[in-house]
């Protein structure tokens, strides 16, 4: 793999040193379209995908795309790597679909593990009771200015939910929750500044 690990530090190609703004990371292979003979071959052996999914007792709707990625990769390899012609194509395709499935499952386990560790991370209560009281009073004041959606978010925060938990419970992104609360904070502090100037 050309991700910089296999090159001495002074010989890393320049393409890998530049930061890319869009597209996959440099170490991800860039998929190439199938040629016309590869397309015909893929269509001819397409039933292998369904055979793989049925044999593994996998839901077709859920896993078809994952198996198809491995299958198309096998088609390309079978055409470009002549050493594979000593095996039946079904063997190559099966192994490639299996690899694609295992990669997907590994990524899903990693994602779920990260989510679980984040959600079960111990929350340390504020050491200073006065700061905690001030934070709760601020949330109560904000509640008076809030629209219906913001009020729901504040209610979760008053019950001790983190931004991530609040977002999950309301089916929103964390970014949206943060943005909605920020708008409310601005309105509150603007109103507070106006009242201070009046006095």
């Amino acid at each position: 793999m050309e991700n910089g690990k296999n090159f001495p530090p002074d010989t890393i190609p320049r393409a890998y040193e530049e930061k890319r703004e869009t597209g996959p990371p440099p170490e991800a292979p860039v998929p190439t379209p199938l040629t016309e003979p590869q397309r015909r071959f893929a269509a001819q052996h397409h039933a292998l995908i369904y055979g793989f999914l049925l044999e593994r007792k996998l839901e077709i709707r859920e896993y078809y795309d994952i198996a198809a990625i491995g299958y198309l990769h096998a088609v390309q390899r079978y055409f470009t790597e002549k050493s594979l012609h000593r095996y039946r194509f079904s063997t190559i395709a099966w192994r490639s679909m299996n690899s694609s499935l295992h990669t997907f499952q590994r990524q899903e386990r990693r994602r779920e593990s990260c989510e679980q560790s984040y959600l079960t991370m111990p929350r340390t209560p504020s050491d200073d009771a006065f700061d905690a009281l001030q934070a709760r009073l601020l949330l109560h004041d904000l509640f008076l200015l809030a629209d219906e959606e913001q009020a729901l978010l504040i209610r979760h925060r008053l019950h001790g939910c983190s931004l991530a938990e609040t977002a999950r419970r309301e089916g929103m992104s964390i970014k949206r929750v943060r943005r909605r609360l920020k708008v409310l904070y601005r309105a509150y502090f603007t109103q507070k500044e106006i009242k201070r100037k009046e006095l």
Side-chain angles (χ1 to χ4, degrees):
M1 293 187 340
E2 294 184 354
N3 59 6
K5 292 180 184 173
N6 299 330
F7 291 103
D10 57 336
T11 62
I12 296 176
R14 293 286 170 211
Y16 295 102
E17 289 181 355
E18 298 171 6
K19 183 177 180 187
R20 297 176 62 164
E21 293 189 23
T22 58
E27 62 271 2
V30 178
T32 56
L34 296 176
T35 63
E36 194 54 43
Q38 290 173 343
R39 281 189 193 145
R40 282 194 302 272
F41 187 82
Q44 183 181 358
H45 296 89
H46 183 256
L48 285 172
I49 297 174
Y50 292 107
F52 173 79
L53 294 172
L54 292 173
E55 172 98 8
R56 298 290 305 267
K57 295 179 176 62
L58 296 171
E59 184 69 36
I60 292 174
R61 285 184 181 169
E62 209 171 315
Y63 291 98
Y64 177 85
D65 294 345
I66 297 156
I69 289 169
Y71 173 76
L72 294 174
H73 183 67
V75 169
Q76 286 183 325
R77 285 187 61 216
Y78 200 70
F79 271 76
T80 57
E81 298 175 29
K82 299 301 178 195
S83 63
L84 296 179
H85 286 234
R86 63 182 163 184
Y87 305 107
R88 290 181 27 203
F89 172 70
S90 59
T91 303
I92 305 300
W94 210 268
R95 290 184 65 108
S96 187
M97 289 186 286
N98 206 27
S99 175
S100 183
L101 176 65
H102 286 303
T103 299
F104 171 75
Q105 290 171 335
R106 187 175 54 247
Q107 289 171 342
E108 280 299 295
R109 282 193 303 272
R110 189 178 304 139
R111 183 188 60 78
E112 288 170 4
S113 171
C114 288
E115 284 178 3
Q116 278 304 109
S117 65
Y118 181 78
L119 291 175
T120 59
M121 195 168 35
R123 311 273 188 277
T124 55
S126 175
D127 292 335
D128 190 359
F130 183 72
D131 288 344
L133 178 63
Q134 273 189 320
R136 288 186 69 80
L137 289 173
L138 173 63
L139 287 173
H140 280 289
D141 289 347
L142 290 173
F143 195 77
L144 299 173
L145 294 173
D147 62 28
E148 195 173 318
E149 183 183 56
Q150 291 168 330
L152 268 173
L153 301 177
I154 290 172
R155 188 171 291 127
H156 288 303
R157 297 292 284 153
L158 280 169
H159 290 291
C161 293
S162 67
L163 285 176
E165 289 171 318
T166 302
R168 186 176 46 82
R169 289 182 179 186
E170 291 303 318
M172 298 179 181
S173 68
I174 296 173
K175 189 175 183 178
R176 178 166 170 76
V177 170
R178 189 176 288 126
R179 196 177 321 127
R180 294 292 291 148
L181 289 175
K182 191 181 263 187
V183 167
L184 187 58
Y185 290 142
R186 283 189 189 131
Y188 172 75
F189 287 114
T190 302
Q191 183 183 33
K192 193 171 181 178
E193 186 64 28
I194 291 170
K195 283 183 180 179
R196 190 182 63 79
K197 286 180 181 179
E198 289 175 355
L199 296 174

